[in-house]
Each structure stands twice: as structure tokens, then as C-alpha cells.
Amino acid sequence: MAEEMRLMKGNEAIAEAAIRAGCTAYFGYPITPQNELTAYMAKHMLDHQRTFIQAESEVSAINMVYGAAAAGARTMTSSSSPGVSLKQEGISYCCGADLPCVIVNVARSGPGLGGISPGQADYFQSTRGGGHGDYFHLVLAPKSVQEAADLTHEAFDLADQWRMPVMILADGLIGQMMEGVVLPENRELSSLPKKAWAAGGQADTHRPINHVSSINLVPAELEASVIERFKRYDRIKAQEVRYEEVNVDKAELILVGYGTSARVSLGALEMAKKLGIEVGLFRPISLWPFPEKRVAELAAMGKKFLAVEMSMGQMVEDVKLAANGKADVHFYGRCGGMIPTEEEVLAEIRRLLKK
Amino acid sequence: MELLYGHPKSLKPIQTKYCPGCGHGVIHRLIAEVIDELGVQERSIITNPVGCSIWADLYFDFDSVQPAHGRTPAAATGIKRVKPDHLVICYQGDGDLAAIGTAEIIHAANRGEKFTTIFVNNAIYGMTGGQMAPTTLIGQKATTAPYGRDALEAGMGYPIQVCELLATLGGTKYLARGSVNNAANVRKTKQYIKKAFEAQLRGEGFTMVEILSPCPTNWGMQPCEGQEWLEANMIPFYKLGEVKNTLAAGAGAEGGSK
Ligand SMILES: Cc1ncc(C[n+]2csc(CCOP(=O)(O)OP(=O)(O)O)c2C)c(N)n1
Ligand code: SF4
Ligand SMILES: [Mg+2]
């Protein structure tokens, strides 16, 4: 039976999508602007006889995730920027031990305690392996409540498939706003992938014992395992790149933005069109892996780029790396919880194109 | 023929990396013996903590998970909630439990998480080479307390009695302190471990056995001296026995809250 469209907050849609994806263990700690997510989980995970714990800190929450993932569960934690900083140690351990899990960052503005208004200044932390060591993990950035639900649902499959954490990088606006959403399908727990590597359940199969660990004190062995993991990263780069394009063929200038700033950019694009100015929009959905090949192709076609962000310029560095000197890459950003307006972006477009 | 004594099935028959006179090996053996007696080898999971016992996964013949330093009780919480019918053993050193992981142990205990913590108190950081631990005794020397631990003047604080600290928390059901300095204490410690594991398997609440354990290497002693030092210095301060027992009636001989 087809699902009806419902009006939901982004935070609640993410929570419900996680439950429907078969998340059986959620661990969180209160922080604005993601509190509705934790509250929704508190009610509905318990209603489903699944595990919900309000942890004593984000540090504990991510390490509960580590344990639950090690024991084979679909598991998730959510937070906002300062809390996600605290999770970085645990995320590094999850990556080192190849543990699947989902981490939601409903980002706010920083640094430090910063503010509770939406921000996109956690891009570097999210896409560069924010903890210690050589690692990456998938990062998906939704632009709407619908996409937040869909990507969260899919994140659990991707985490299991690639055996790594998947981060949903939203922001306070996506988390707080209400939109219509058709919720993703409910997964039967019995249909979820079996995890032969997980701890526990040995009595069922009498398999050899399993160890979930990230330690290896033999440099040559550790190097070999990191290199092996990077080969997996190459396969992910080949298979999991996601992006959306609007009007890039006709445009001389392409706006590049993700999440909320992509919505603003789309508005600016439409305003420009009314003035007879053709601009395009390139919206990375996977921030890691970044759609670098496509940006390089567009650069080779002679396009110019204008990266629009709610930060002092982070994603723009990936655009520059991908363009590799073959295109002009400009930047327009607001920070501190300020959201660029369509008018501001339009003015920047007109300034750059001298139109 | 009935087997009266042998190598526990749950412990691999290999030599450990632990130093001569170290308590970790004895404690591993006690855990393995109890697991064999309870017949739960294939549904046991241990956390091998950051510390000398990070090598536990080399020795125990059942599943293991290795968490970040101090986060052991948080990881054990995740494991036990997902596998409630398993015996989950949260193995921790005193640096892991009483310093970097203080928040995790207090809240896991207070939530009444149904795993068993085996808390190895050797009054020192073993793995990193003999730094002061939260359990280091007053006057005891460590590389980071070269003149001995001085609580007030040097601001090093006091040794923490973890069982007594946790006893005030509603979620804790069984807290006992044993020692592996002599045969009698080893046997008693094994009884505490067994009681705690049985209580866990009944789903009673948080259980912990603290075990005083020698680290002759970082105490700068011969193995035998280490045992003597433990008896003369640690036991008078860290009193042995059941510090708290509110397990269901009939659960054991030494019952009753103390
Ligand atoms: C976050 C972090 N900080 C510090 C360390 C270094 N470290 C490794 S073991 C250890 C101390 C362990 O001492 P204890 O828990 O008492 O265990 P023992 O070796 O004495 O059994 C420390 C500080 C680490 N691995 N991770
Ligand atoms: S350093 Fe101490 S705790 Fe570590 S193995 Fe040696 S004796 Fe045991
Ligand atoms: Mg120690």
C-alpha cells in the first residue's frame, strides 16, 4: 500500500526513517537543534521494544553505538556540531574496526559553543575524517525533509554494505522545518543482512571466534589493512557519488551548494532566469565521496563556479581541487548562523557576470 | 574418569605476554574457569580494554570487542543491550575505569546495565609504563609522582575506592573486592566472579568485581615482593569482601547488604 504524504519536521522524519530502516539501537544526548530527533526516538524505539538510551555524553553515545554495531545491530546516534566533535574519537574507532553505523549531524554554527542557528561549517570535520588516523566515511547531505528521510533510510544499507559509518550532514534548518514527506518502507528485522563478523551469537553456528578491534601494533600489517580499506574507498568513489544538476548545460556560471545553501541557490537561479541570466546549479549530495569527476568535466567545458555555503568557505576547496586550476572558482558565504538570501546570491551572480 | 582439574576450555593454551608476577593472567584464568562452569563459552563477549589487558583477545577463546580507552562501559552497554542473553564482561584497568572513563562507569552502573565489570586495580598505569593512577596509594611512587603521591600539597588527590563510590548508586546490585595475592584470596575472588556472572545471567542489574592485582614491573619489584607489597599496603586501604550485595534472596552464601 502506498504511503500517504505527511507533514513532518526534518528531525522527526530522520528518526522515523531510521526506525523503518531497522535501527534497533539508538543512543543520543540532548543538543539543539536536533532535540526532536532524540525525543522521537525515546518514544518510538521504546514502543517498538528497541533500545533507546539517553547517554551521559556524546562520547558515551558514540561508544554505545560502537558496542551495538560490534554486536551486529543497525544503530544510530544523532547530535549537532559541538556534540559531533565529541564523537570524533568514536567515529575513528568505528572506521578502524570497520563498523557500520549512522551518525546524524544537524549542524549549527561554531566554533566553540557558537550558536544554535543553522551552519555548514562542519564540512571539513565531516569529509576529512574528523578524528585521528587515515580514514574517510560516507557523508550525505539532504536538502529537504523528504531527502533527509530517504537518505537516512538508505544510509543504513550503505553502512552495512561498505562496513563503515555513514554520516547524514543536515543543518538546523533541515532539522527544524516542516515539509511534506512520504516515508520510506518499513524493513522486517528478519530481512536485514546477517553479519558473520559480529560479536555474539557464536552458539548458533559454532563458527570460529570473532574479534572486533582496531588495534595492530605491527606496522607492516597495519599499513596493509589501511591500504586495503583505501581500496574499498576507491570502489565507493566509483559507485556512490551522488549529485543533482539544474540547467548546467546552458549556464556559463554554475552555483555549487549542498543542503540549505543549495535551496537558496536554486531560488537565486530562478530569479536570474527571470532577468535573462542563465546560471546552473550543481548540488553535491554525497559530500564524501565528493563528485569530483563531474566537477572536473564541467570545468573542462569552460564553466565558472560560484560555491555558496553557510561557512567561510570549506566545500569550495573541494570544488577547487576538482577543477584543478581549469576553471574560475568563486565563493559566497555567510556564517554564524546567518543564511545567505536569494537576493544576496543573485547580486553576487550579477557582479561576477557583469550583467 | 572424572576430570578434577585442567586447563579451562575458554582460555587458549598459550603463554601470555604479561610480565612475571602480573595479576592479569590469573584473573583471565578465573574468568575462563567460571565461564566453563556456567557452560556459556559460546555466548560470552569480553571487552579487551586499552591497558595491558588489551591482549585479552589473544587468550580468551570467545568473542571480544576492543573499545576506546575508558569507553569500555559504554561499549559494553551497547553490546549487552543488543545481546541480552549473552554474558558480557566489561574488563577494565584502573586508569581505564577510574580516570578517563569515570563518566562511563558511573552512568553504566547507575543505569543498572546488566553486564559484569571486572575491575583490575593494580594502583598504576601498567601499559604506559608506571604513571600514577587514580588508585595509586598515598606515598606510592610513580613516574608522574616521582616523590610519591601527595594528596594535598602537590594536589594529586586521594586514591579512589571504586566499590564504595559505586555502592551509593541504585543500579548497582553486587560489588565485591577480591585479590589475587595468595591462593585463599584467589579462590574467594573466583566465588565473587561466579556470583556476579550468575546474577548477570539472571538479569539482576549492575555487577562488578574489583580485583587487587600486582604489577611488579611498574612497582619496581620482584614478583614475590609484589605480592607482599600488595598485602601490606593495598589490602588495608582497599578492604576485601562484598561491599554491596542486594541480589535476589538465596543468590549466595555471603548475602545481605554490607
Ligand atoms: C585516549 C587515550 N589516551 C591515552 C592512551 C594511552 N594509554 C594506553 S594504556 C593507558 C593506561 C592503562 O592503565 P590501566 O587502565 O590502569 O591498565 P593496566 O595497563 O594498568 O592494566 C593509557 C593512558 C590511549 N591509548 N588512549
Ligand atoms: S606492566 Fe604490570 S600490568 Fe602490565 S603486564 Fe606487566 S605486570 Fe602486568
Ligand atoms: Mg592499572
Side-chain angles (χ1 to χ4, degrees):
Chain A
M1 201 180 65
E3 283 274 349
E4 278 177 33
M5 182 170 285
R6 306 189 199 179
L7 189 63
M8 275 181 112
K9 263 196 174 197
N11 283 333
E12 294 183 339
I14 291 172
E16 179 59 29
I19 293 172
R20 288 169 175 240
C23 175
T24 56
Y26 170 89
F27 309 96
Y29 184 84
I31 185 166
T32 308
Q34 66 82 58
N35 285 321
E36 297 83 2
L37 205 168
T38 309
Y40 192 97
M41 287 306 235
K43 174 157 186 1
H44 296 272
M45 290 293 275
L46 294 180
D47 288 352
H48 283 79
Q49 274 98 47
R50 299 184 189 179
T51 296
F52 167 87
I53 297 181
Q54 179 177 327
E56 58 273 19
S57 69
E58 291 87 349
V59 176
S60 290
I62 187 68
N63 285 283
M64 289 173 186
V65 163
Y66 182 91
R74 283 198 159 182
T75 177
M76 179 168 108
T77 182
S78 63
S79 188
S80 181
S81 309
V84 177
S85 293
L86 284 180
K87 292 186 195 293
Q88 293 301 333
E89 176 201 41
I91 296 172
S92 167
Y93 274 73
C94 288
C95 290
D98 298 314
L99 289 177
C101 58
V102 175
I103 298 143
V104 179
N105 183 358
V106 183
R108 53 194 249 185
S109 47
L113 198 52
I116 58 170
S117 302
Q120 292 186 327
D122 297 352
Y123 183 92
F124 285 152
Q125 187 192 58
S126 312
T127 58
R128 262 56 177 176
H132 58 285
D134 260 336
Y135 72 87
F136 294 95
H137 54 71
L138 278 148
V139 183
L140 305 174
K143 67 159 185 192
S144 62
V145 173
Q146 182 67 59
E147 203 177 48
D150 293 342
L151 290 178
T152 302
H153 198 259
E154 204 183 343
F156 285 89
D157 292 332
L158 291 169
D160 282 348
Q161 180 187 345
W162 296 108
R163 277 190 67 179
M164 63 159 59
V166 178
M167 180 177 282
I168 301 293
L169 183 59
D171 62 54
L173 194 96
I174 307 285
Q176 291 294 326
M177 72 183 174
M178 293 184 92
E179 281 185 325
V181 55
V182 179
L183 289 164
E185 64 165 318
N186 228 327
R187 291 286 176 75
E188 283 296 329
L189 294 185
S190 58
S191 73
L192 300 179
K194 301 280 172 283
K195 297 173 181 172
W197 48 263
Q202 194 197 7
D204 302 337
T205 56
H206 311 296
R207 57 159 170 74
I209 55 175
N210 283 342
H211 300 301
V212 176
S213 173
S214 63
I215 192 175
N216 194 331
L217 295 189
V218 183
E221 286 179 19
L222 182 57
E223 182 189 49
S225 75
V226 173
I227 289 174
E228 220 23 65
R229 194 172 296 119
F230 270 69
K231 287 187 193 153
R232 193 178 345 140
Y233 295 164
D234 284 340
R235 295 200 298 281
I236 294 172
K237 285 181 181 175
Q239 292 177 42
E240 303 296 354
V241 168
R242 287 138 203 256
Y243 56 85
E244 184 194 350
E245 292 179 341
V246 181
N247 202 40
V248 294
D249 299 337
K250 289 194 212 149
E252 176 191 349
L253 176 74
I254 299 174
L255 307 176
V256 188
Y258 66 95
T260 295
S261 48
R263 292 172 77 111
V264 174
S265 298
L266 186 63
L269 177 151
E270 279 157 7
M271 288 170 81
K273 196 170 214 152
K274 285 189 190 137
L275 298 173
I277 307 169
E278 292 288 353
V279 296
L281 170 66
F282 185 81
R283 177 172 76 92
I285 299 171
S286 59
L287 303 184
W288 193 92
F290 188 77
E292 54 197 16
K293 276 211 188 99
R294 183 58 183 155
V295 172
E297 276 169 22
L298 295 169
M301 290 176 206
K303 310 284 185 188
K304 290 191 178 97
F305 297 101
L306 170 60
V308 180
E309 297 181 61
M310 283 136 64
S311 79
M312 292 300 285
Q314 300 195 9
M315 180 203 61
V316 64
E317 292 198 0
D318 276 339
V319 181
K320 284 183 180 164
L321 282 169
N324 198 18
K326 302 212 171 60
D328 289 341
V329 179
H330 304 275
F331 172 73
Y332 181 77
R334 299 292 305 267
C335 66
M338 296 300 291
I339 300 173
T341 62
E342 295 169 355
E343 289 76 12
E344 283 168 11
V345 176
L346 177 67
E348 191 62 16
I349 292 168
R350 298 185 70 172
R351 195 181 68 79
L352 289 170
L353 294 178
K354 302 193 176 60
K355 286 184 181 169
Chain B
M1 214 169 28
E2 192 194 351
L3 180 67
L4 291 179
Y5 200 68
H7 192 87
K9 262 198 324 169
S10 301
L11 199 63
K12 292 183 188 161
I14 51 175
Q15 202 176 347
T16 73
K17 296 186 187 205
Y18 300 125
C19 307
C22 175
H24 279 301
V26 181
I27 295 165
H28 286 14
R29 182 177 174 121
L30 295 181
I31 291 171
E33 284 181 5
V34 175
I35 287 179
D36 283 1
E37 287 166 24
L38 297 174
V40 292
Q41 184 181 2
E42 284 198 329
R43 55 183 181 105
S44 295
I45 305 173
I46 193 157
T47 59
N48 24 300
V50 174
C52 283
S53 49
I54 192 140
W55 304 117
D57 63 356
L58 298 175
Y59 311 129
F60 286 117
D61 201 355
F62 47 86
D63 289 356
S64 77
V65 176
Q66 182 256 301
H69 192 22
R71 317 302 174 216
T72 329
T77 296
I79 299 166
K80 182 72 186 188
R81 293 289 187 114
V82 170
K83 298 273 174 217
D85 62 341
H86 281 51
L87 182 80
V88 176
I89 303 155
C90 180
Y91 197 107
Q92 296 195 262
D94 39 9
D96 198 67
L97 182 144
I100 193 167
T102 324
E104 283 78 1
I105 193 64
I106 287 190
H107 290 278
N110 193 48
R111 285 190 306 267
E113 294 296 340
K114 299 181 179 77
F115 57 75
T116 301
T117 299
I118 300 292
F119 169 39
V120 180
N121 178 356
N122 56 13
I124 203 94
Y125 282 37
M127 180 172 245
T128 38
Q131 294 83 359
M132 185 178 77
T135 45
T136 295
L137 296 172
I138 297 295
Q140 184 187 337
K141 286 187 176 151
T143 61
T144 49
Y147 306 110
R149 184 175 193 164
D150 172 4
L152 277 181
E153 286 268 301
M156 295 172 172
Y158 295 88
I160 299 178
Q161 293 164 318
V162 173
C163 281
E164 289 77 358
L165 182 76
L166 297 184
T168 62
L169 304 174
T172 57
K173 295 291 173 230
Y174 185 76
L175 303 167
R177 188 182 286 117
S179 169
V180 290
N181 68 308
N182 60 39
N185 282 339
V186 167
R187 269 198 294 276
K188 229 182 246 167
T189 300
K190 182 177 167 183
Q191 285 168 12
Y192 298 151
I193 295 174
K194 190 160 189 178
K195 238 190 221 183
F197 284 4
E198 284 172 342
Q200 176 185 163
L201 291 171
R202 288 194 304 271
E204 286 213 32
F206 184 83
T207 54
M208 183 181 85
V209 183
E210 174 176 342
I211 303 170
L212 308 184
S213 171
C215 175
T217 301
N218 285 305
W219 293 351
M221 295 174 197
Q222 294 296 320
C224 292
E225 282 180 273
Q227 305 289 21
E228 287 158 18
W229 186 86
L230 187 157
E231 183 165 353
N233 296 277
M234 286 183 80
I235 293 180
F237 183 74
Y238 296 114
K239 299 258 177 331
L240 302 184
E242 292 180 330
V243 175
K244 180 174 180 180
N245 181 353
T246 53
L247 297 175
E254 245 185 294
S257 190
K258 293 187 177 180

